[in-house]
Every structure is written in structure tokens, then in C-alpha cells.
Amino acid sequence: MSTVGSKLLRSARNARAFARGEATAGFVVHVPEDVDVRAIRRRTNLSQAAFAARYGFPAATVRDWEQGRRRPEAAARVLLLIIQRHPDVVEEVLQQSAA
């Protein structure tokens, strides 16, 4: 079978598996192993305590992350990356949920 034929067949099988609920939407989330929490926090111009309070992290946890005693779990790393790239969006969502 040609390369194109193999790709078409594989795509058809993937589409069938998705339609049956046996597969995901076709992408995989790649969460980085490490994030620079200190750099992200400094970009927000907030102290550790203020950063923790604003984004719902325990202050001791932020301190442990920055000092390398602990590493953020995957969900926290995702939130930290969103804070890094779009802090205004995170703050808007948190403010709306508090109202």
C-alpha cells in the first residue's frame, strides 16, 4: 500500500474510533515539566503573598515552588502558563466567579 493510502486508512480508523467514543479529539496536551514560577510572579509585579492570594495558591506553596522544594503539579503548571501569557484573562475570570 502507498504512503498516502496508509495515511488515509489510518485517518479513517481514527475517525471511526472517535465517532464511537473510543478516542479523543485528536490532540494531546503537552504540559511542560518545569515552569519558572519566580519569573512568572515577577512579571506580575506581585509579592509572593499577593501572587498567592490573587491566584488562589497557598503562600507557602508559592514559596516552596520558587525555592525548589516542590514542583507545581500539572494543573498548576497549566494555570501558571496562562497567568504568564494572559494574566488579565485569569483575573477577569476569577473576578466574575467571585461576583
Side-chain angles (χ1 to χ4, degrees):
M1 182 178 296
S2 71
T3 303
V4 173
S6 296
K7 288 180 181 180
L8 286 172
L9 187 56
R10 185 172 56 245
S11 294
R13 287 182 181 140
N14 289 341
R16 182 179 62 197
F18 179 76
R20 291 179 176 171
E22 300 167 353
T24 61
F27 68 91
V28 177
V29 175
H30 297 282
V31 179
E33 289 297 315
D34 294 308
V35 295
D36 189 343
V37 178
R38 179 176 285 129
I40 294 168
R41 178 184 58 79
R42 285 182 174 167
R43 285 185 65 184
T44 64
N45 294 317
L46 296 171
S47 67
Q48 287 179 343
F51 183 85
R54 178 164 296 173
Y55 296 110
F57 301 117
T61 299
V62 172
R63 191 170 41 255
D64 287 346
W65 289 341
E66 289 190 13
Q67 294 176 358
R69 288 191 295 261
R70 291 182 58 200
R71 187 181 76 142
E73 294 188 19
R77 291 192 308 267
V78 169
L79 177 56
L80 288 162
L81 290 173
I82 296 169
I83 292 168
Q84 178 181 14
R85 294 185 183 139
H86 303 288
D88 51 331
V89 172
V90 176
E91 290 173 23
E92 178 184 333
V93 169
L94 292 173
Q95 287 173 0
Q96 287 177 356
S97 67

